[in-house]
Amino acid sequence: MAERAELSARLNWLRAAVLGANDGVVSTAGIVTGVAGAAGSRTALLAAGVAGLLAGAMSMAAGEYVSVSTQRDTERAALANERRELAEDPEGELDELTDYYRGSGLGDGLAREVAVALTERDALAAHARTELGIDPQALTSPWQAALASAAAFTLGALVPLLAVLLPPGSWRLPVTVAAVVAALTLSGWVSARLGGAGPARAVARNVAGGLLAMAVTYSGGLLLDGVTG
């Protein structure tokens, strides 16, 4: 059970990292293609891209910190309640644990034996894992989640930023589109594999969303250039 909980936590972290990177790719690609549509210089592209990267990374980090902090507070409150129930009614809690394993398919005697053994080893951990799905020794760190989210966003954002800055002017847009499509194809494939789903649909959704975002912002940039030019 502990191994399943650890695996689930790892998969959640991987999914969050993939989604963060994907957000970095799409949002930064939208910004730089919009500036490119407005005939922005390399300096303007760099300023807009870096500003978008920093703002997005900080936003992702702040959002993840608040979200995970709330989750951690909830988990701590649930553990405190479970600790109180164990202190006030240990026999009743032992019966609950026995019922859980009986419901899992164990015979009455074996279910009781397992419940007693786990209670003697670590009663709080046994109840937290079976009743709450929480490992008291592995609560999620808000700071780790925030840093991981910011790092994933930054890595994703670097793809369109470098793609639009490095090539000569006439190649900026096609190189950026190609780099973004490649990055979104990879992130779509990884997210599908993590979720156990077929990759084709996930990749198509990912790429279509990114292309739409770039098309909208590029058109907006062209319109703005035409109005102000």
Side-chain angles (χ1 to χ4, degrees):
M1 186 174 296
E3 292 178 357
R4 288 200 302 270
E6 183 178 355
L7 177 60
S8 177
R10 288 180 180 177
L11 289 177
N12 286 335
W13 277 98
L14 286 172
R15 289 191 184 98
V18 170
L19 290 174
N22 195 72
D23 286 345
V25 171
V26 174
S27 61
T28 307
I31 290 172
V32 296
T33 52
V35 176
S41 65
R42 190 182 298 269
T43 301
L45 287 168
L46 177 62
V50 170
L53 184 156
L54 293 175
M58 293 306 297
S59 175
M60 292 286 290
E64 195 70 13
Y65 180 84
V66 170
S67 175
V68 173
S69 293
T70 301
Q71 175 186 337
R72 189 181 178 94
D73 290 344
T74 302
E75 291 174 342
R76 284 177 169 171
L79 289 172
N81 184 63
E82 192 64 42
R83 191 179 291 109
R84 178 182 56 78
E85 290 178 351
L86 284 168
E88 294 177 353
D89 186 15
E91 285 301 319
E93 291 298 300
L94 181 59
D95 290 339
E96 282 188 13
L97 199 58
T98 302
D99 290 339
Y100 172 84
Y101 285 106
R102 186 184 296 113
S104 299
L106 299 182
D108 291 349
L110 182 56
R112 189 70 173 186
E113 184 179 342
V114 170
V116 169
L118 291 175
T119 298
E120 290 177 349
R121 180 179 180 182
D122 190 335
L124 179 61
H127 284 270
R129 288 168 179 161
T130 56
E131 297 178 23
L132 306 174
I134 299 173
D135 184 351
Q137 304 303 319
L139 297 183
T140 306
S141 167
W143 284 110
Q144 287 181 354
L147 291 174
S149 184
F153 184 95
T154 300
L155 289 175
L158 286 174
V159 172
L161 182 58
L162 294 177
V164 80
L165 289 176
L166 296 180
S170 60
W171 284 91
R172 285 175 183 170
L173 190 58
V175 169
T176 301
V177 171
V180 167
V181 168
L184 293 178
T185 298
L186 177 61
S187 65
W189 183 86
V190 171
S191 62
R193 299 304 297 172
L194 289 174
R201 184 173 297 180
V203 168
R205 282 196 304 260
N206 236 23
V207 172
L211 290 175
L212 178 61
M214 287 189 291
V216 170
T217 54
Y218 184 73
S219 299
L222 287 176
L223 180 61
L224 181 62
D225 186 49
V227 171
T228 61

